[in-house]
Amino acid sequence: MKSNKAEKSASQWTLFKRILSLAKFQQHWMILAIFMTIFQSVITAFQPYLYKMVIDSVIIPKQFHLLEKWALILLGWLLLQAALGFANSYLSESIAQSVILKLRQYVYDHLTRLKLSFYDKTPVGTAVTRSISDIQTITDLFSSGVITIAGDLIQIVVILGCMFYMDVKLTLITLTVVPLLLFAANRFRKGIRDTFQDVRNQVAKLNAFLQERITGMQMVQLFNREKEEMRRFDQINQAHRDANIRSIYYYAIFFPIVEVLVACSFALIVWYGSGALVQGSIEFGELTAFIMFINLFFRPVRAIADRFNNIQMGIVAADRIFKLIDDTDNIEATSENLAPVLQGGVTFNDVWFAYQQNDWVLKGISFDLSQGKTMAIVGATGSGKTTIAALVNQLYQHQQGDILLDGLNIKDLNITSVRQQIALVLQDVFLFSGSVKDNIRLHHPEIDIEKMINAARSIGAYEFIEKLPGGFDYNVMERGMTLSLGQRQLISFIRALAFDPRIILLDEATSSIDTETEQLIQKAIDRLLEGRTAIVIAHRLSTIAKADEILVLDKGTVIERGNHQQLMSAGGHYAHLYETQIRD
Ligand SMILES: Nc1ncnc2c1ncn2[C@@H]1O[C@H](COP(=O)(O)OP(=O)(O)OP(=O)(O)O)[C@@H](O)[C@H]1O
Ligand SMILES: [Mg+2]
């Protein structure tokens, strides 16, 4: 048990050091901040001493001609203290924000490099919580944790020194409440630590739930799930509240206890001090200064428990973030070897793939598509069509077999350089909030306005976009929900064409579209495939019939292949599929 505890605190210490190392690039500022904090603490600690001097050497001996000088000294002292206070909070907050900026960049960069399979397993809300609120907690660790604690400790030491120097007895009396205070602070710290974990978990849950329901609001309303979803939301919401109340409980009980202890200490000093004053063993200014000292002494003592909390919470949050960024298993490993300019040959050699271990979705797929040819894939839903397209782009990595591009093994090529030459038009078009223009160009410097307009013209979508309010500047709302499916698809076609890829992967949407858009799309597809190697997951007969080869897929295996004519005359699955589905 004990060694376990030691291990835990050792790892906390390692974590803590690692967090500090995040601020390494701010080292000079950190050191400056710590020095200034120390300076401020010392200045503050000496303040009562000045008052004592004023009272005992100016006011009581009635040396009023010195009063002006002392008033100026005191004013200067206070101004200096205020200026240091300002500089300190500004500096430490700036340091914290710069560290956090860097950490957030790092986390975001990491998120963009994670394999898609990571996102299949992680709720969006959780990933968002990691990159927003957990990081925020680390800010507190810097701004009101590490640096301020150094100042607090120094302040306590200096004040204690002054107190002992002035009067040992009074100081000892003041300190009688400290053991109780330490005991309370320790309980407080432990309580907060446990509840904090809980609070963070509940926040992540709440975020994940809300994120999903807001995205899927259509479903919630369509199926009248409002009441049921409300009930589930209530549960999560209540758990969130309870976790917070548990942590607030500790705050609520700790601070009043501290107040009572401080008050006891005051009472003791006033009681003892007045006796000593009457007996003349203490001067009036000294007693006044002492009472001020008590106030100054308990301020950092009171705050320090909370500051340790900030550090502790920062460590908990950092632990989660480090776990996320250390998880290199989920990072795409890719070769340094840049792909040459591709001609467009795509070959699958006995490719096996499973999203989850050994639950094979593709079982030995082979085909050889030469450059400039079009291959159509048809098959029942769930047979693995989209998965094949995803593998050509290596959005997922196949477990067995080889995928070759122009005869080069895709695993030996740098994946970014491969993806640059392949366009994937998805079944479900995703648009970012922003203008149509930005959605087509994706802020790519190589795609200028002219290229974009040419692409739109050449697939015949220019008029449709010009008709939108604002044309290419039309503001697409989140996920493009304000555009029809057909319109979204046309935009994704323009995007694919503007990038002028060698290989195009087209996953046609199944839903039927109005005839006008349908014709537009038909034309657009023809234009898009012209002169490129294409793998088309098609539902339109016109597209399928034009293909050089058709693969018929069933449960992850190719059951038939050939062109339309051959397959129709064979009278097998394709012919049947054609009769029952495609012709409609
Ligand atoms: N990200 C994923 N994680 C786990 N399993 C998945 C994932 N995507 C798809 N699958 C599974 O893989 C199988 C093949 O899916 P795929 O999307 O390739 O089918 P499809 O042929 O494109 O179907 P559809 O015609 O409906 O688009 C399905 O059983 C599906 O449940
Ligand atoms: Mg699909």
Side-chain angles (χ1 to χ4, degrees):
M1 190 64 205
K2 197 133 209 176
S3 76
N4 209 344
K5 218 173 176 179
E7 224 167 71
K8 203 170 161 192
S9 60
S11 75
Q12 286 221 336
W13 178 236
T14 332
L15 267 172
F16 183 65
K17 279 196 294 190
R18 186 164 170 199
I19 299 169
L20 282 189
S21 73
L22 291 174
K24 212 159 193 171
F25 72 106
Q26 295 275 325
Q27 210 172 23
H28 301 304
W29 291 114
M30 278 280 266
I31 292 173
L32 179 65
I34 289 176
F35 269 111
M36 283 197 351
T37 311
I38 293 173
F39 187 42
Q40 187 195 357
S41 308
V42 174
I43 296 265
T44 312
F46 275 108
Q47 195 188 315
Y49 209 76
L50 290 182
Y51 282 100
K52 169 196 147 32
M53 308 258 273
V54 177
I55 294 174
D56 287 345
S57 48
V58 180
I59 300 181
I60 292 186
K62 299 204 165 76
Q63 302 285 334
F64 291 122
H65 63 283
L66 291 174
L67 204 54
E68 259 171 39
K69 187 182 93 188
W70 275 102
L72 282 177
I73 293 178
L74 276 176
L75 184 66
W77 202 265
L78 285 175
L79 285 179
L80 181 62
Q81 217 174 308
L84 279 171
F86 160 77
N88 263 339
S89 21
Y90 194 83
L91 187 59
S92 48
E93 192 63 39
S94 310
I95 293 174
Q97 291 300 337
S98 320
V99 172
I100 273 10
L101 176 98
K102 213 160 168 198
L103 188 61
R104 214 169 252 148
Q105 269 173 348
Y106 197 76
V107 169
Y108 180 72
D109 178 59
H110 182 82
L111 288 177
T112 60
R113 291 188 302 139
L114 285 172
K115 288 180 195 165
L116 281 185
S117 54
F118 168 84
Y119 291 99
D120 290 345
K121 291 177 298 208
T122 314
V124 179
T126 310
V128 172
T129 309
R130 289 289 168 278
S131 28
I132 298 178
S133 24
D134 281 352
I135 292 187
Q136 183 57 44
T137 313
I138 301 185
T139 322
D140 297 341
L141 179 144
F142 279 102
S143 60
S144 52
V146 186
I147 299 173
T148 357
I149 276 190
D152 286 344
L153 289 176
I154 299 281
Q155 204 166 341
I156 291 173
V157 171
V158 175
I159 291 173
L160 268 183
C162 291
M163 284 164 80
F164 270 116
Y165 175 73
M166 271 172 72
D167 196 328
V168 177
K169 232 185 208 161
L170 282 181
T171 312
L172 289 178
I173 292 173
T174 313
L175 292 182
T176 46
V177 300
V178 167
L180 280 173
L181 201 68
L182 288 180
F183 175 74
N186 199 35
R187 285 282 320 176
F188 170 67
R189 194 178 57 82
K190 280 196 186 129
I192 289 288
R193 182 189 56 202
D194 298 341
T195 51
F196 177 70
Q197 274 285 16
D198 220 16
V199 169
R200 292 253 60 88
N201 283 336
Q202 294 303 335
V203 169
K205 264 195 201 153
L206 194 64
N207 282 352
F209 185 90
L210 270 180
Q211 209 278 335
E212 225 168 77
R213 294 315 174 285
I214 289 172
T215 318
M217 192 50 76
Q218 205 182 16
M219 285 297 120
V220 175
Q221 292 180 352
L222 211 55
F223 290 92
N224 297 317
R225 299 317 292 157
E226 291 95 336
K227 278 220 180 79
E228 170 61 20
E229 292 298 330
M230 195 61 221
R231 201 184 56 73
R232 295 178 53 197
F233 179 68
D234 249 2
Q235 282 175 357
I236 296 179
N237 204 10
Q238 278 173 23
H240 179 259
R241 176 199 59 191
D242 295 342
N244 272 302
I245 289 182
R246 272 195 300 277
S247 95
I248 286 164
Y249 166 83
Y250 286 102
Y251 279 97
I253 202 158
F254 174 67
F255 288 106
I257 287 180
V258 174
E259 290 314 317
V260 170
L261 289 176
V262 173
C264 288
S265 170
F266 268 116
L268 283 173
I269 291 296
V270 171
W271 168 71
Y272 178 84
S274 346
L277 202 63
V278 172
Q279 285 170 11
S281 61
I282 187 177
E283 282 178 78
F284 185 68
E286 210 174 332
L287 186 61
T288 315
F290 224 89
I291 288 175
M292 290 177 80
F293 268 132
I294 297 178
N295 222 349
L296 282 183
F297 173 71
F298 281 110
R299 206 181 331 163
V301 168
R302 206 177 315 180
I304 235 168
D306 200 30
R307 305 232 199 276
F308 269 114
N309 267 327
N310 284 336
I311 291 191
Q312 194 126 42
M313 291 179 190
I315 289 178
V316 172
D319 188 27
R320 287 156 183 265
I321 289 173
F322 288 147
K323 275 201 184 110
L324 176 77
I325 56 188
D326 288 344
D327 167 19
T328 43
D329 287 353
N330 279 314
I331 293 263
E332 263 184 323
T334 183
S335 157
E336 300 276 293
N337 205 359
L338 295 185
V341 176
L342 294 177
Q343 301 304 310
V346 181
T347 311
F348 269 49
N349 266 340
D350 194 25
V351 171
W352 286 69
F353 171 74
Y355 287 100
Q356 272 123 29
Q357 259 193 341
N358 293 329
D359 186 6
W360 299 108
V361 170
L362 298 182
K363 305 168 198 158
I365 301 289
S366 298
F367 61 80
D368 191 6
L369 184 62
S370 32
Q371 75 176 82
K373 298 280 190 223
T374 299
M375 180 175 82
I377 305 177
V378 297
T381 176
S383 55
K385 304 182 294 293
T386 302
T387 307
I388 291 183
L391 289 190
V392 178
N393 248 327
Q394 290 286 289
L395 291 176
Y396 294 89
Q397 289 75 37
H398 52 289
Q399 284 91 354
Q400 289 172 36
D402 293 316
I403 298 177
L404 311 172
L405 300 176
D406 291 346
L408 302 168
N409 195 327
I410 203 165
K411 292 211 160 146
D412 299 334
L413 298 174
N414 174 275
I415 196 58
T416 313
S417 66
V418 169
R419 285 187 193 147
Q420 265 166 7
Q421 307 187 56
I422 303 180
L424 171 59
V425 178
L426 288 169
Q427 232 167 348
D428 182 14
V429 180
F430 185 96
L431 297 179
F432 295 97
S433 18
S435 64
V436 170
K437 185 169 71 194
D438 290 344
N439 266 293
I440 294 173
R441 297 178 54 228
L442 296 178
H443 304 278
H444 209 288
E446 271 174 42
I447 312 295
D448 52 26
I449 306 290
E450 204 183 315
K451 258 193 190 155
M452 173 184 80
I453 291 182
N454 283 343
R457 280 229 165 82
S458 96
I459 64 163
Y462 185 75
E463 284 74 24
F464 133 70
I465 291 180
E466 281 294 275
K467 263 189 239 154
L468 293 172
F472 281 93
D473 287 319
Y474 175 72
N475 197 5
V476 176
M477 290 302 152
E478 199 164 287
R479 288 170 297 127
M481 287 324 243
T482 47
L483 293 170
S484 79
L485 196 69
Q487 291 171 327
R488 268 184 275 160
Q489 222 157 39
L490 282 173
I491 290 177
S492 75
F493 288 164
I494 303 176
R495 175 153 74 193
L497 193 66
F499 279 82
D500 191 21
R502 284 318 307 143
I503 299 171
I504 185 136
L505 312 168
L506 173 63
D507 202 347
E508 263 188 355
T510 24
S511 351
S512 47
I513 307 170
D514 65 277
T515 24
E516 198 188 336
T517 321
E518 169 76 34
Q519 276 170 357
L520 260 176
I521 289 188
Q522 197 57 61
K523 218 181 100 195
I525 291 180
D526 289 347
R527 177 71 191 76
L528 200 58
L529 304 191
E530 235 171 56
R532 291 171 227 278
T533 311
I535 297 179
V536 188
I537 297 156
H539 303 283
R540 291 184 176 77
L541 174 63
S542 49
T543 326
I544 300 171
K546 268 186 238 161
D548 300 293
E549 189 181 17
I550 301 167
L551 288 193
V552 184
L553 212 60
D554 184 46
K555 301 194 188 76
T557 47
V558 178
I559 48 170
E560 281 174 18
R561 63 177 84 210
N563 64 27
H564 180 68
Q565 236 59 50
Q566 293 165 335
L567 290 177
M568 283 309 283
S569 49
H573 275 84
Y574 178 79
H576 182 67
L577 200 70
Y578 173 69
E579 293 301 336
T580 55
Q581 280 181 15
I582 302 174
R583 210 173 44 169
D584 299 341

